[in-house]
């Protein structure tokens, strides 16, 4: 009996020894200069073979691990091989939407070497769009990331065009594209108006249609104001006063008809600045 | 047919009495439940991970059942000498073997059905919606298991129980990487080597033909021809293995 107790005691002591050693090892900080944990990641081909037909599950495990790994703020060099890791995950499962999205977000985190990281983000999003050409969500995410994080309007527009052209994509993408393109590509009023008219035709809800109408109204008004204001300036220069109504200009042969806005309402003449102003604003229900 | 049915039913009952089957079923339930835990750890699509984990778990545990049960398939009958009593009755050897195969396959398929229902329920419970296509993926795993159990049956008459299990496990591994043999034929320089590797490719089962997990998890279209031809491939391969097993068992010395 005594022997049994001694054996149990020895086993318990040895077990306690391993626990103490393990806990002590946890406290020892070891540098990982080359991203050792990442350096030996096998290739996608090898992992696919080893997964025995479960490449999707292997991608899941790597993805879960990557989220935990990159969430460790203590690791200064954790962003090494970042692109390689997400490239590997998306090689294993090329349709892994979240891996592209979250991978791109993590790559954007470091504030150093922004240009290098931006190129990595672009490569990851381009790969996503090659593998999932019908996925407007990923293209839209890419556009917003380029717009908000990097202020790269050329790439933002490129991704937004892709997103907007995907059948079934939300109507707002076409609207964003119009708004961004107007500013970035310097569209003329005519180009902008014809774009918004075209977009209005594709609207499926009253709200979408109303937003387009508002844009067309704004553009038509701006275009007309640009045309009418010089006429008012000339009138003021000739007669020494601002006209109080458009009919005066029509009667004098300066205008063919009373100018009206997109909704057929007559423009107002602001006496203080002697300028034309649209009277109606589009309301949303 | 009656003899096969009776032997199959007995094999099935015997298998159900083995606690190891319940253990695997329990394990698979734990695995499916833990898939929720993995879902929490992720950012974004939880149901994708639950589906991936569930389908891989089902495949893995069914493979284990096939491998473990193949150890006992024939050897237990010989050890307990029940095979002599059975074969002394108007039961042909091939009927006995087919009965054992059907019984083992039924055990696997019942487990498969329970696990599939569980997986569909889990996905539904965790917000992934009712996805009946999961049954397609699990049915194809069932077809894969039909081939694997046929291999287990063949090995159980060809070799010793432990070796039979090892070989069945090896077939499972090789069957999932054999597609690369086909790719290898394109890179080999000589025609002799290419022919040999091609032959090897056709001899070894390509279990990836039954893998529809990606299509099901990502809701991709699956060509009807892919399902139909996989079905034909699996059934023909199974029939071939069972014929070989029966031929070998006919001449086997059971002493």
């Amino acid at each position: 009996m005594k022997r049994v107790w001694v054996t149990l005691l020895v086993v318990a002591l040895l077990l306690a020894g391993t626990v103490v050693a393990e806990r002590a090892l946890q406290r020892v900080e070891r540098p990982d200069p080359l991203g050792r944990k990442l350096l030996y990641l096998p290739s996608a081909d090898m992992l696919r073979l080893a997964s025995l037909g479960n490449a999707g599950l292997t991608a899941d495990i790597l993805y879960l691990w990557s989220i935990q790994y990159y969430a460790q703020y203590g690791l200064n060099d954790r962003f090494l091989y970042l692109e390689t890791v997400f490239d590997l995950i998306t090689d294993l499962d090329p349709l892994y939407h979240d891996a592209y999205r979250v991978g791109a977000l993590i790559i954007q985190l470091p504030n150093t070497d922004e240009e290098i990281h931006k190129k990595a983000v672009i490569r990851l999003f381009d790969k996503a769009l090659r593998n999932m050409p019908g996925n407007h969500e990923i293209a839209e995410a890419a556009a917003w990331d380029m717009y908000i994080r990097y202020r790269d309007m050329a790439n933002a527009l490129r991704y937004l065009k892709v997103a907007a052209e995907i059948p079934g994509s939300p109507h707002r993408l076409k609207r964003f594209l119009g708004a961004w393109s107007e500013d970035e590509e310097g569209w003329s009023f005519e180009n902008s108006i014809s774009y918004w008219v075209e977009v209005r035709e594709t609207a499926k809800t009253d709200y979408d249609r109303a937003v387009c109408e508002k844009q067309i109204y704004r553009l038509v008004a701006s275009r007309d104001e640009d045309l009418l204001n010089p006429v008012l300036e000339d009138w003021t220069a000739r007669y020494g006063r601002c006209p109080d109504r458009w009919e005066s200009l029509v009667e004098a042969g300066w205008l063919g008809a009373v100018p009206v806005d997109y909704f057929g309402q007559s423009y107002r003449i602001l006496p203080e600045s002697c300028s034309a102003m649209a009277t109606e604003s589009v309301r949303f229900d | 047919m009656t003899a096969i049915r009776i032997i199959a039913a007995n094999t099935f009952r015997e298998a159900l009495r083995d606690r190891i089957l319940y253990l695997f079923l329990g394990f698979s339930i734990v695995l499916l439940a833990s898939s929720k835990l993995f879902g929490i750890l992720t950012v974004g699509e939880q149901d994708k991970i639950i589906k991936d984990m569930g389908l891989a778990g089902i495949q893995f545990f069914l493979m284990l059942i096939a491998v473990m049960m193949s150890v006992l398939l024939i050897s237990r009958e010989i050890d307990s000498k029940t095979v002599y009593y059975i074969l002394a009755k108007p039961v042909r050897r091939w009927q006995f073997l087919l009965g054992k195969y059907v019984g083992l396959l039924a055990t696997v398929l019942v487990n498969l059905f329970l696990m599939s229902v569980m997986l569909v329920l889990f996905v539904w419970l965790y917000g992934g919606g009712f996805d009946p296509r999961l049954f397609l993926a699990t049915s194809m795993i069932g077809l894969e298991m039909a081939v694997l159990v046929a291999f287990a049956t063949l090995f159980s008459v060809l070799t010793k129980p432990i070796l039979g299990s090892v070989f069945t496990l090896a077939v499972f591994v090789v069957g999932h990487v054999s597609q690369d043999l086909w790719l290898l034929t394109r890179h080999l320089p000589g025609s002799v080597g290419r022919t040999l590797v091609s032959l090897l490719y056709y001899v070894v089962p390509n279990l990836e033909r039954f893998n529809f997990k990606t299509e099901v998890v990502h809701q991709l279209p699956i060509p009807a021809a892919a399902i139909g031809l996989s079905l034909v491939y699996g059934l023909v391969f199974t029939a071939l293995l069972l014929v070989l097993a029966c031929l070998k068992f006919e001449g086997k010395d059971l002493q």
Side-chain angles (χ1 to χ4, degrees):
Chain A
M1 193 63 186
K2 188 182 171 186
R3 199 170 162 181
V4 173
W5 281 109
V6 170
T7 310
L8 280 174
L9 185 68
V10 170
V11 169
L13 282 172
L14 289 173
L15 193 65
T18 59
V19 172
V20 169
E22 170 56 27
R23 288 182 67 89
L25 277 169
Q26 282 174 6
R27 284 193 294 274
V28 178
E29 280 190 24
R30 295 178 67 187
D32 187 12
L34 288 173
R36 193 175 37 206
K37 287 174 186 166
L38 307 177
L39 196 61
Y40 300 110
L41 274 178
S43 70
D45 288 340
M46 286 301 295
L47 277 175
R48 196 177 290 113
L49 270 177
S51 72
L52 301 179
N54 293 296
L57 178 67
T58 313
D60 290 342
I61 293 167
L62 262 174
Y63 175 60
L64 290 172
W65 167 82
S66 70
I67 291 171
Q68 312 308 315
Y69 184 77
Y70 290 110
Q72 298 175 73
Y73 291 103
L75 295 175
N76 293 327
D77 48 8
R78 67 189 191 280
F79 294 115
L80 276 170
Y81 306 108
L82 187 58
E83 190 184 0
T84 312
V85 170
F86 283 96
D87 208 31
L88 181 57
I89 297 170
T90 52
D91 273 348
L92 285 167
D93 190 345
L95 304 177
Y96 208 152
H97 177 279
D98 289 340
Y100 290 111
R101 185 70 199 97
V102 174
L105 282 174
I106 296 175
I107 296 174
Q108 291 171 45
L109 281 177
N111 287 319
T112 54
D113 301 323
E114 289 213 345
E115 197 53 35
I116 293 170
H117 288 118
K118 188 180 89 176
K119 283 179 182 164
V121 171
I122 290 172
R123 277 194 293 272
L124 193 59
F125 276 132
D126 285 348
K127 183 181 179 184
L129 290 173
R130 273 198 308 278
N131 291 328
M132 300 184 293
N135 192 317
H136 61 80
E137 288 173 3
I138 207 85
E140 186 185 2
W144 282 109
D145 284 1
M146 287 296 125
Y147 178 64
I148 294 169
R149 177 69 177 87
Y150 296 111
R151 295 281 162 197
D152 178 352
M153 285 310 292
N155 274 309
L157 266 178
R158 177 169 73 88
Y159 286 124
L160 197 58
K161 269 180 194 157
V162 171
E165 282 166 12
I166 292 171
S169 61
H171 196 257
R172 65 184 150 77
L173 297 181
K174 291 185 179 68
R175 301 201 301 270
F176 279 129
L177 182 62
W180 289 7
S181 300
E182 270 175 26
D183 294 341
E184 188 59 23
E185 296 181 353
W187 282 358
S188 66
F189 282 128
E190 297 310 323
N191 284 345
S192 293
I193 291 167
S194 66
Y195 176 83
W196 283 103
V197 168
E198 197 179 302
V199 171
R200 185 189 56 190
E201 299 310 311
T202 62
K204 293 204 167 50
T205 65
D206 289 343
Y207 175 82
D208 291 338
R209 213 166 286 114
V211 176
C212 294
E213 297 263 289
K214 185 180 180 181
Q215 290 295 333
I216 297 167
Y217 176 84
R218 176 184 61 80
L219 287 161
V220 169
S222 299
R223 182 196 61 188
D224 290 352
E225 283 164 11
D226 279 4
L227 291 170
L228 294 170
N229 286 338
V231 179
L232 290 173
E233 276 176 31
D234 288 350
W235 180 276
T236 310
R238 173 166 299 191
Y239 298 106
R241 62 178 177 81
C242 188
D244 12 328
R245 50 198 195 94
W246 293 108
E247 283 77 0
S248 310
L249 282 84
V250 176
E251 285 157 13
W254 284 50
L255 291 176
V258 172
V260 290
D261 65 16
Y262 180 66
F263 292 117
Q265 300 285 323
S266 172
Y267 288 106
R268 286 168 58 200
I269 299 174
L270 296 177
E272 309 85 40
S273 56
C274 193
S275 57
M277 189 186 157
T279 54
E280 193 67 38
S281 65
V282 177
R283 301 206 173 275
F284 300 96
D285 295 323
Chain B
M1 277 308 276
T2 314
I4 294 173
R5 200 178 65 235
I6 291 168
I7 292 166
N10 275 316
T11 308
F12 180 67
R13 271 196 293 272
E14 207 175 347
L16 287 188
R17 277 198 295 268
D18 279 324
R19 289 184 182 174
I20 195 163
L21 290 179
Y22 295 113
L23 186 71
F24 286 139
L25 191 61
F27 257 93
S28 62
I29 292 167
V30 170
L31 182 85
L32 285 171
S34 67
S35 62
K36 173 61 183 168
L37 185 71
F38 283 106
I40 293 166
L41 289 175
T42 188
V43 177
E45 298 168 39
Q46 293 189 9
D47 55 313
K48 177 200 180 300
I49 294 183
I50 294 172
K51 285 176 189 173
D52 279 337
M53 289 286 293
L55 289 172
I58 287 172
Q59 184 192 33
F60 178 72
F61 283 113
L62 290 183
M63 180 273 292
L64 278 188
I65 293 173
V67 168
M68 301 301 280
M69 291 304 291
S70 70
V71 183
L72 308 168
L73 196 65
I74 305 294
S75 65
R76 185 154 62 181
E77 302 289 347
I78 295 174
D79 289 347
S80 61
K81 302 200 178 353
T82 46
V83 68
Y84 306 119
Y85 295 111
I86 296 167
L87 293 178
K89 293 180 189 298
V91 175
R92 305 285 300 273
R93 283 189 175 202
W94 64 268
Q95 289 176 318
F96 172 76
L97 198 68
L98 277 188
K100 298 301 280 183
Y101 170 80
V102 174
L104 178 53
L105 185 62
T107 311
V108 169
L109 292 183
V110 165
N111 277 284
L112 172 70
F113 177 72
L114 293 174
M115 290 180 191
S116 306
V117 171
M118 192 99 34
L119 176 63
V120 171
L121 271 175
F122 264 75
V123 171
W124 178 67
L125 279 175
Y126 292 131
F130 177 66
D131 188 359
R133 275 168 52 109
L134 282 168
F135 284 115
L136 174 69
T138 57
S139 301
M140 297 316 276
I141 292 174
L143 195 56
E144 177 185 341
M145 290 306 135
V147 176
L148 203 64
V149 171
F151 266 107
T153 309
L154 176 64
F155 291 138
S156 70
V157 295
L158 273 180
T159 182
K160 299 207 178 302
I162 298 295
L163 275 180
S165 288
V166 173
F167 287 160
T168 309
L169 185 64
V171 166
F172 177 75
V173 174
V174 174
H176 279 285
V177 296
S178 66
Q179 201 144 345
D180 290 81
L181 283 174
W182 185 250
L183 296 175
L184 187 64
T185 58
R186 296 182 188 176
H187 298 289
L188 282 175
S191 60
V192 178
R194 207 176 297 164
T195 311
L196 282 174
V197 175
S198 299
L199 277 174
L200 189 63
Y201 169 75
Y202 286 115
V203 169
V204 173
N206 183 352
L207 298 179
E208 279 296 296
R209 294 288 180 215
F210 311 116
N211 186 355
F212 289 87
K213 295 188 200 99
T214 306
E215 288 91 333
V216 168
V217 169
H218 289 294
Q219 307 287 334
L220 300 176
I222 302 172
I227 298 172
L229 289 173
S230 298
L231 195 67
V232 171
Y233 178 68
L235 293 177
V236 171
F237 219 113
T238 303
L240 170 73
L241 293 168
L242 289 177
V243 166
L244 289 174
C246 289
L247 285 174
K248 177 65 189 169
F249 194 58
E250 285 291 326
K252 190 176 171 72
D253 182 5
L254 297 175
Q255 293 298 319

